[in-house]
Amino acid sequence: MKIKILNDNCVPFKKHQFDAGWDVRANKDTIWRPGETINVGLGIAVRIPEGCVGYVFPRSSIGVKTPLRMSNSVGVIDCGYTGEIHACYTNMSDYSYEVKEGDRIAQLVVQKIELPGIEFVDELEETERGCGGFGSTGND
């Protein structure tokens, strides 16, 4: 995978050899006011290989040690996108929260995917589950 560094303080890395994702960093100092949502650049652009997708997830420590929550749950980077990668966070607290340039705020995971064609139909085949949705498997 090709990575273009846009900010020298934002070089992604893996702490351990078999980590699934690369830690990625904020490209500038950012202060979130209470309830504010900000889309933070990560100081890199990538060329995701064809047949793969990039996912931007929050680092686990963000959810445990900060009031920030990723606004879109996960960022999806298609292989054709080559602009700067971003992470969008909302401050869920009643106080301001600051991230400094170079702080590790997300992780980039790249995964192979299937790219099936689609067929439009009037009906779908019956399955055991059918249209049973949320809570359909019980409370066990």
Side-chain angles (χ1 to χ4, degrees):
M1 177 173 70
K2 296 179 181 179
I3 298 177
K4 180 179 179 181
I5 304 300
L6 306 174
N7 178 332
D8 289 337
N9 293 324
C10 295
V11 176
F13 72 98
K14 289 186 178 189
K15 182 82 171 184
H16 306 283
Q17 179 182 1
F18 297 110
D19 287 351
W22 291 268
D23 286 349
V24 289
R25 304 166 183 269
N27 71 355
K28 65 180 181 179
D29 294 350
T30 305
I31 299 174
W32 283 261
R33 293 185 304 268
E36 185 174 33
T37 299
I38 298 177
N39 192 16
V40 179
L42 300 176
I44 61 170
V46 298
R47 179 62 168 95
I48 303 292
E50 289 184 17
C52 295
V53 63
Y55 297 114
V56 177
F57 292 106
R59 294 182 66 238
S60 58
S61 61
I62 293 287
V64 173
K65 298 179 180 179
T66 80
L68 301 179
R69 299 298 174 265
M70 192 169 269
S71 304
N72 58 339
S73 300
V74 62
V76 174
I77 306 163
D78 296 311
C79 70
Y81 176 72
T82 57
E84 183 175 16
I85 296 173
H86 291 79
C88 189
Y89 284 100
T90 301
N91 179 355
M92 304 301 290
S93 73
D94 294 330
Y95 57 90
S96 292
Y97 188 81
E98 182 176 14
V99 166
K100 296 286 196 182
E101 178 181 336
D103 283 354
R104 297 177 296 152
I105 63 167
Q107 57 183 314
L108 171 63
V109 175
V110 176
Q111 188 172 22
K112 288 185 179 183
I113 57 169
E114 294 291 325
L115 298 169
I118 61 170
E119 174 186 357
F120 295 100
V121 298
D122 293 326
E123 298 291 330
L124 297 173
E125 297 82 12
E126 291 293 323
T127 65
E128 181 181 341
R129 183 173 182 166
C131 58
F134 297 100
S136 67
T137 60
N139 294 326
D140 301 357

